Amino acid sequence: MYKIVSRLLIYGDMPKDTILMELADIARRMDDGSQKKEELIIRAFTQMKHLLQVATDYGFDKNLWHNYLTFLLITSENPFSITCEKVGANEGSVNYFAKGDFRAFKQLFDYDFGRLEEFLGVDCFSRISNYRAIGKKELMYNKNVSEKVQALSLQLEEAADEEEFFDCVTGFYRDYGVGMFGLNKAFRISSGADGQVVFHAINNMDAVMLEDLVGYEIQKKKLIDNTLAFVQGRKANNVLLFGDSGTGKSTSVKAIVNAFYPQGLRMIEIYKHQFKDLSAVIARIKNRNYKFIIYMDDLSFEEFEVEYKFLKAVIEGGVETRPDNILIYATSNRRHIIKENWSDRDDMESGNGLHRSDTMEEKLSLVNRFGVTISYSKPSQKEYFHIVTELARRAGIDMEEKELCAEANKWELSHGGISGRTAQQFVNYLLGQKG
């Protein structure tokens, strides 16, 4: 195996502690006798444990070795794979080197672990050639990744040579992309040890769709129209969804991402204390073949906070133009995001019949950078009862409408008042009482 791995050029730059590199080193030490057999057995079992952990995390079954190799291929971000993501596999000279790597991967797919198992006196590698996953796949957080990996793995198993291998892998890059952005819908960020921005996939994102949000049809249409223009490469605006809590602002954004994910839409959630990293985030994603929504939930600033000034420059107005594949969507309970006080009016000026406060103008200028503002107001009691009735019907709750509304009225009086969130919590309560 180590002889095969040593021939990898484009895909060979892997950390030494990856499963493939560790297994290759175990095979090498078996051949040259540089490590005791007992130590090699421990190392082999350790890598088997890691392989099983990957299978558990992503719900892999059948041939885990093939699934793992496929996972490496579709998560390896290198100049070749990223170019294929953007423009497909062209006739460039790099294809020669890529096909050499795929020839090696084809050999790894067909690798016979029999000699290694016989030497170590184990049979664990044979056992994972037809592995059966435990549990329900629909409960896996990484179901989306699992399905894509296993579908491609089956294609690669049938590939006759590196040419077919090349077509399968590059076709996947073209259709889905490469790396975590190709496999996942949403991400968070953190700062790494070296100060670099690190992306983390959100594997348990709510699967809500827009039709799950009862009411707010005008608001949803505005959001859909703007996002559709964005993913189709037309001009679109940053969006601010503002209004009362529990009215579905955050749910609408999640639903938009779920709806347009197949068309290349991705979401990166950023918190207020991370605004200093916005420029670094944009630099990392501006050349990728996806449309990104940078999402800021429950955005608001107190009068002493000045981060909003940095956000203003990043959204629109800085020296660097915002890339065409990035928009900012934010939700807020405040119409103007930034808390306003009567003292803001102290610098009021009059001129030409107009009154202006510099402080107020500065704060309002952030909101003005959102080209689309969508208001989500609390529902009336009639609308609240409609939401409750519809949610209960979808949940299969068999209760007379009059009784349902009466109970819903009692619930909202002691649980935060009228809102879509209160309606959903009430229906959840009823479902919990059915057991």
Side-chain angles (χ1 to χ4, degrees):
M1 182 186 294
Y2 60 94
K3 294 179 181 178
I4 301 173
V5 171
S6 67
R7 295 199 296 271
L8 293 174
L9 191 155
I10 296 174
Y11 293 86
D13 187 21
M14 286 180 275
K16 291 184 178 180
D17 60 351
T18 56
I19 297 172
L20 177 59
M21 300 302 283
E22 283 284 347
L23 289 177
D25 188 64
I26 290 171
R28 180 180 66 82
R29 291 180 180 275
M30 176 187 70
D31 282 351
D32 64 20
S34 60
Q35 192 168 11
K36 294 180 180 179
K37 178 178 177 180
E38 292 75 15
E39 294 175 348
L40 292 178
I41 293 174
I42 294 173
R43 289 182 62 192
F45 282 163
T46 299
Q47 297 313 309
M48 179 55 59
K49 179 182 177 181
H50 292 166
L51 195 56
L52 292 172
Q53 184 63 56
V54 172
T56 301
D57 289 344
Y58 293 97
F60 296 157
D61 58 11
K62 297 182 180 177
N63 195 313
L64 300 191
W65 176 240
H66 291 174
N67 289 334
Y68 168 69
L69 292 175
T70 303
F71 184 74
L72 286 183
L73 284 168
I74 65 179
T75 56
S76 177
E77 296 184 1
N78 55 64
F80 172 76
S81 61
I82 291 178
T83 299
C84 289
E85 172 191 281
K86 297 183 70 173
V87 299
N90 51 38
E91 297 301 319
S93 300
V94 71
N95 289 2
Y96 171 81
F97 300 108
K99 289 178 181 179
D101 278 17
F102 292 150
R103 188 182 307 117
F105 264 97
K106 181 71 174 66
Q107 292 175 332
L108 290 172
F109 258 72
D110 299 334
Y111 186 77
D112 184 4
F113 282 95
R115 180 166 165 266
L116 180 62
E117 288 185 321
E118 182 179 357
F119 176 80
L120 298 179
V122 300
D123 65 352
C124 53
F125 295 100
S126 300
R127 296 283 182 180
I128 62 169
S129 62
N130 191 22
Y131 183 78
R132 293 181 60 187
I134 299 174
K136 297 181 179 180
K137 283 195 174 183
E138 58 268 23
L139 299 180
M140 296 296 298
Y141 284 155
N142 294 290
K143 182 182 176 184
N144 183 60
V145 178
S146 174
E147 291 174 345
K148 288 181 178 178
V149 169
Q150 293 188 97
L152 179 59
S153 178
L154 291 174
Q155 293 180 39
L156 296 178
E157 286 178 5
E158 301 297 324
D161 52 30
E162 65 268 19
E163 295 290 340
E164 290 187 17
F165 214 96
F166 178 91
D167 291 340
C168 290
V169 176
T170 56
F172 184 94
Y173 291 156
R174 181 193 63 241
D175 295 339
Y176 299 106
V178 60
M180 65 164 58
F181 293 134
L183 294 173
N184 299 280
K185 298 177 183 178
F187 309 86
R188 292 191 181 95
I189 67 167
S190 67
S191 297
D194 56 356
Q196 297 293 312
V197 170
V198 179
F199 290 87
H200 305 277
I202 300 175
N203 297 317
N204 58 339
M205 183 175 168
D206 193 348
V208 65
M209 301 301 289
L210 281 169
E211 52 266 28
D212 297 330
L213 183 64
V214 181
Y216 299 97
E217 298 304 322
I218 295 175
Q219 291 87 337
K220 289 189 289 188
K221 186 177 187 308
K222 286 184 178 180
L223 194 59
I224 290 171
D225 289 346
N226 190 74
T227 310
L228 181 61
F230 180 48
V231 299
Q232 291 181 346
R234 294 182 280 122
K235 289 294 183 181
N237 286 297
N238 300 311
V239 179
L240 172 65
L241 298 83
F242 70 93
D244 300 306
S245 62
T247 51
K249 302 183 296 296
S250 300
T251 299
S252 295
V253 176
K254 295 173 189 174
I256 277 290
V257 175
N258 287 328
F260 288 98
Y261 166 72
Q263 299 181 45
L265 184 65
R266 303 294 186 265
M267 181 177 78
I268 300 172
E269 186 174 26
I270 290 185
Y271 302 105
K272 187 163 55 179
H273 70 277
Q274 297 173 319
F275 285 173
K276 59 182 174 56
D277 297 319
L278 267 172
S279 296
V281 170
I282 292 172
R284 289 277 299 277
I285 63 179
K286 65 182 180 181
N287 293 319
R288 299 303 298 266
N289 195 34
Y290 304 97
K291 302 293 185 180
F292 290 94
I293 288 174
I294 295 180
Y295 173 50
M296 304 167 184
D297 190 31
D298 197 18
L299 186 63
S300 65
F301 298 94
E302 299 300 326
E303 58 181 331
F304 58 86
E305 294 178 310
V306 296
E307 289 93 340
Y308 73 91
K309 296 183 179 182
F310 181 75
L311 179 58
K312 281 166 55 178
V314 171
I315 293 178
E316 189 178 324
V319 175
E320 185 177 11
T321 303
R322 175 172 50 81
D324 291 336
N325 70 328
I326 297 171
L327 283 181
I328 293 178
Y329 282 18
T331 66
S332 179
N333 294 337
R334 294 175 176 172
R335 170 65 178 87
H336 295 146
I337 301 179
I338 303 167
K339 185 177 180 179
E340 297 176 72
N341 298 298
W342 283 105
S343 61
D344 292 341
R345 301 173 182 265
D346 291 345
D347 57 353
M348 188 73 72
E349 296 179 0
S350 298
N352 297 322
L354 298 176
H355 298 277
R356 183 185 75 254
S357 163
D358 289 341
T359 304
M360 290 174 63
E361 285 292 323
E362 181 185 22
K363 290 186 174 182
L364 290 174
S365 65
L366 174 58
V367 176
N368 294 336
R369 280 168 164 75
F370 290 91
V372 174
T373 55
I374 306 175
S375 173
Y376 283 70
S377 58
K378 277 190 176 182
S380 65
Q381 188 171 65
K382 181 179 179 181
E383 290 169 332
Y384 171 67
F385 287 154
H386 170 67
I387 294 172
V388 169
T389 303
E390 181 62 22
L391 292 177
R393 183 189 65 79
R394 295 178 184 181
I397 295 174
D398 185 17
M399 183 183 292
E400 195 173 308
E401 184 174 339
K402 186 175 180 180
E403 180 187 0
L404 182 67
C405 292
E407 292 299 318
N409 188 51
K410 294 177 185 177
W411 178 271
E412 64 90 2
L413 288 173
S414 58
H415 291 83
I418 291 174
S419 72
R421 178 183 296 150
T422 303
Q424 183 63 66
Q425 291 171 345
F426 171 63
V427 171
N428 291 343
Y429 165 75
L430 294 180
L431 289 172
Q433 299 305 303
K434 289 176 65 175

